[in-house]
């Protein structure tokens, strides 16, 4: 039995926070010897409003972090996601942050993803 990459944090967890608070969306993973490719981590926001398109928040690829979206508020919890912790910190929450966040971890041949529901409540 070959074991490849596994995400160890629970799938489809739900978080409710008030505006202005901080949240950490958990995404921890374990690699196995079979995973040989470069490590690739991607957080995407799937907005609650279907009219809006998915937004790539932050990307880790080829040993670099690419922060595309509100970099001042959203970053990896651990500055080195290779540690197995790809969790996402979001500071100073806004109502617009409500939605489904997907953490995708890729290291060939393994690919895993989890989704986390975040609801930001008015003050």
């Amino acid at each position: 039995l070959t074991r490849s990459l596994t995400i160890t944090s629970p799938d489809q967890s739900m978080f409710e926070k008030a505006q202005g608070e901080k949240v950490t969306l958990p995404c921890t993973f374990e690699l196995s010897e079979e995973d040989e490719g470069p490590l690739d981590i991607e957080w995407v926001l799937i907005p609650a409003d279907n009219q809006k398109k998915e937004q790539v928040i932050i990307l880790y690829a080829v040993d670099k972090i690419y922060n595309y979206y509100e970099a001042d508020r959203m970053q990896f919890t651990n500055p080195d996601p290779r540690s197995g912790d790809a969790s996402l910190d979001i500071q100073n929450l806004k109502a617009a942050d409500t939605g489904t966040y997907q953490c995708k971890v890729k290291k060939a041949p393994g690919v895993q993803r989890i989704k986390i529901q975040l609801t930001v409540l008015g003050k």
Side-chain angles (χ1 to χ4, degrees):
L1 184 77
T2 61
R3 238 190 41 126
S4 73
L5 151 73
T6 45
I7 289 184
T8 51
S9 35
D11 191 15
Q12 261 309 1
S13 32
M14 316 257 308
F15 289 85
E16 277 192 0
K17 291 281 183 184
Q19 285 184 35
E21 287 189 347
K22 171 190 168 193
V23 68
T24 298
L25 304 180
C27 180
T28 52
F29 61 93
E30 281 172 8
L31 300 172
S32 76
E33 289 73 59
E34 282 80 46
D35 299 314
E36 312 232 318
L39 178 63
D40 201 61
I41 300 166
E42 178 185 73
W43 274 98
V44 177
L45 168 56
I46 303 156
D49 174 354
N50 292 336
Q51 304 309 305
K52 297 198 178 118
K53 57 192 207 6
E54 288 187 11
Q55 188 92 41
V56 175
I57 298 171
I58 195 167
L59 210 55
Y60 175 86
V62 201
D63 297 339
K64 280 181 73 169
I65 292 173
Y66 300 91
N67 206 322
Y68 291 111
Y69 181 74
E70 307 229 13
D72 53 329
R73 294 193 310 118
M74 302 189 180
Q75 48 238 345
F76 285 119
T77 305
N78 188 319
D80 184 3
R82 284 175 306 192
S83 62
D85 184 358
S87 302
L88 180 71
D89 279 349
I90 307 176
Q91 320 274 347
N92 193 12
L93 287 165
K94 302 177 185 172
D97 296 332
T98 294
T100 302
Y101 288 76
Q102 176 179 275
C103 173
K104 184 165 96 183
V105 181
K106 236 176 24 195
K107 190 166 169 62
V111 179
Q112 292 287 322
R113 59 182 59 114
I114 59 164
K115 288 188 173 160
I116 297 172
Q117 202 70 44
L118 175 65
T119 308
V120 181
L121 309 165
K123 281 208 162 35

